[in-house]
């Protein structure tokens, strides 16, 4: 009975994706490979959240101080574009499912502005709050955003991914609807050298280390990588140590973001 239920859940969750080969490798990794390794007793890697939070808390400064350190003016997109945000909030309200919410949009928007960016990559779209903030800045320079997002399979979120982004901002926006492992190589090929990257998708340590590396290699000299939720585990710290660069760590509403500038 247990195996029958497990098989039924698998089929029920994934049948809408039978015709979407871009997500097959992610399904394989997330479900099949994990179930098999659990069956053979391989444990999931333990998380090191407490140590990561301590490391972040020790380094953390405010959004304003971080932007001052980078010589960038503070700009809150919500106060600059109130109507766009009112409509975006309505769009989120009309969305029938609950997805991951917005991060530090003032930080993101200000950095894209400060860089005068024309090309960026982000991982993790969900409603599209970070995409909205980024595109509002990029549109001024006809810049392009390349996003990678794996839908929440169980929520059937595909049709709602990016729903807060108005149609007028979508012209220069390309979304790869698959996991980072498949989407990031495509996005970096399409984008070429980028001014910035925003990481907000796979929060596991191996996922972060792999994704940061790809983004770092695509970044131009002087460009920035911003990562959300770096207090979840020590993935960001490990990457900083690997490349030997001191990050700027920002605390905003109890959550930590990390910023790295490429020399
Ligand atoms: C926290 S939400 C992103 C929020 C978004 N940046 C914003 O500010 O509105 C995380 C998103 O990453 C997606 N995601 C999770 N794992 C992923 C992976 N391995 N590759 C790509 N996207 C992934 C989730 O489905 C979700 O849409």
């Amino acid at each position: 009975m247990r195996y029958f239920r497990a098989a039924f859940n698998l089929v029920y969750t994934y049948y809408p994706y039978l015709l979407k080969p871009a997500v097959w490798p992610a399904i394989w990794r997330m479900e099949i490979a994990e179930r098999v390794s659990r069956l053979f007793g391989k444990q999931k890697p333990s998380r090191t959240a407490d140590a990561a939070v301590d490391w972040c808390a020790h380094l953390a400064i405010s959004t304003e101080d971080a932007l001052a350190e980078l010589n960038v003016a503070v700009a809150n997109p919500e106060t600059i574009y109130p109507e766009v945000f009112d409509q975006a909030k309505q769009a989120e309200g009309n969305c029938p499912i609950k997805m991951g919410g917005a991060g530090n949009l003032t930080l993101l928007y200000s950095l894209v502005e400060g860089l005068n960016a024309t090309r960026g990559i982000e991982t993790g779209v969900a409603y599209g709050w970070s995409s909205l903030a980024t595109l509002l800045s990029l549109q001024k320079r006809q810049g392009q955003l390349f996003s990678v997002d794996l839908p929440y399979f169980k929520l059937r979120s595909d049709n709602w991914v990016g729903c807060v982004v108005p149609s007028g901002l979508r012209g220069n926006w390309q979304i790869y609807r698959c996991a980072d492992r498949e989407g990031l190589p495509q996005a970096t090929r399409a984008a070429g050298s980028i001014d910035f990257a925003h990481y907000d998708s796979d929060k596991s340590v191996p996922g972060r280390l792999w994704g940061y590396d790809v983004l770092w290699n695509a970044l131009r000299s002087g460009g920035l990588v911003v990562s959300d939720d770096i207090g979840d585990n020590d993935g960001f710290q490990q990457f900083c140590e690997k490349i030997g660069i001191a990050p700027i760590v920002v605390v905003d509403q109890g959550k930590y973001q990390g910023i790295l500038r490429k020399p």
Side-chain angles (χ1 to χ4, degrees), residues 26 29-30 99-105 108 122-132 148-153 157 161 164 176-183 198-203 207 228-229 255:
R29 282 192 300 270
M30 286 168 63
M99 296 187 269
N104 187 344
L105 300 188
L108 194 55
E122 72 169 352
T123 72
V125 177
Y127 293 112
W129 289 109
S130 51
S131 319
L132 175 64
V148 180
D149 188 87
L150 185 68
Y152 293 110
F153 293 122
S157 66
V161 167
V164 302
Y176 298 91
R177 294 170 185 276
C178 52
D180 295 342
R181 300 267 172 171
E182 286 68 51
H198 178 230
Y199 188 92
D200 192 16
S201 52
D202 181 350
K203 306 289 168 68
D228 263 29
D229 298 325
K255 295 180 100 182

Side-chain angles (χ1 to χ4, degrees), residues 3-261:
Y3 293 113
F4 176 76
R5 202 177 302 132
F8 175 81
N9 283 340
L10 263 185
V11 174
Y12 179 75
T13 304
Y14 296 117
Y15 80 87
Y17 300 96
L18 277 175
L19 296 178
K20 297 186 177 174
V23 302
W24 293 352
I27 294 175
W28 171 257
R29 282 192 300 270
M30 286 168 63
E31 291 291 337
I32 319 290
E34 198 171 302
R35 270 166 212 263
V36 170
S37 64
R38 240 184 283 151
L39 205 64
F40 289 99
K42 192 174 155 207
Q43 298 292 316
K44 284 174 99 175
S46 66
R47 303 181 72 174
T48 50
D50 288 350
V53 167
D54 286 351
W55 181 78
C56 290
H58 175 68
L59 293 174
I61 56 177
S62 68
T63 302
E64 291 73 19
D65 287 349
L67 291 171
E69 201 165 304
L70 290 162
N71 271 323
V72 169
V74 180
N76 178 348
E78 195 167 347
T79 54
I80 301 170
Y81 301 97
E83 282 154 25
V84 176
F85 272 80
D86 281 349
Q87 281 177 14
K89 283 177 195 161
Q90 267 180 35
E92 182 182 313
N94 292 336
C95 177
I97 55 171
K98 180 101 185 79
M99 296 187 269
N104 187 344
L105 300 188
T106 296
L107 179 71
L108 194 55
Y109 180 82
S110 306
L111 291 177
V112 179
E113 285 282 285
L115 282 166
N116 256 318
T118 57
R119 267 161 195 272
I121 295 180
E122 72 169 352
T123 72
V125 177
Y127 293 112
W129 289 109
S130 51
S131 319
L132 175 64
T134 303
L135 287 163
L136 281 168
S137 173
L138 286 174
Q139 61 155 357
K140 301 181 190 175
R141 299 170 293 280
Q142 284 82 49
Q144 284 184 293
L145 177 64
F146 302 83
S147 304
V148 180
D149 188 87
L150 185 68
Y152 293 110
F153 293 122
K154 292 189 175 132
L155 295 177
R156 311 262 193 273
S157 66
D158 311 41
N159 293 335
W160 302 98
V161 167
C163 64
V164 302
V165 178
S167 51
L169 287 176
R170 289 173 178 250
N172 286 328
W173 187 28
Q174 168 83 44
I175 307 184
Y176 298 91
R177 294 170 185 276
C178 52
D180 295 342
R181 300 267 172 171
E182 286 68 51
L184 269 182
Q186 294 180 60
T188 49
R189 259 197 309 277
S193 172
I194 55 173
D195 302 302
F196 74 94
H198 178 230
Y199 188 92
D200 192 16
S201 52
D202 181 350
K203 306 289 168 68
S204 68
V205 172
R208 284 178 192 272
L209 290 173
W210 185 87
Y212 295 151
D213 210 44
V214 174
L215 294 169
W216 188 251
N217 287 333
L219 204 64
R220 71 160 165 83
S221 170
L224 299 170
V225 170
V226 181
S227 177
D228 263 29
D229 298 325
I230 61 168
D232 287 359
N233 53 45
D234 68 352
F236 184 75
Q237 183 185 357
Q238 281 191 42
F239 183 71
C240 296
E241 286 165 4
K242 183 185 140 188
I243 59 172
I245 292 188
I248 295 176
V249 174
V250 177
V251 60
D252 176 61
Q253 298 179 54
K255 295 180 100 182
Y256 297 101
Q257 296 91 47
I259 307 171
L260 285 166
R261 188 192 275 282

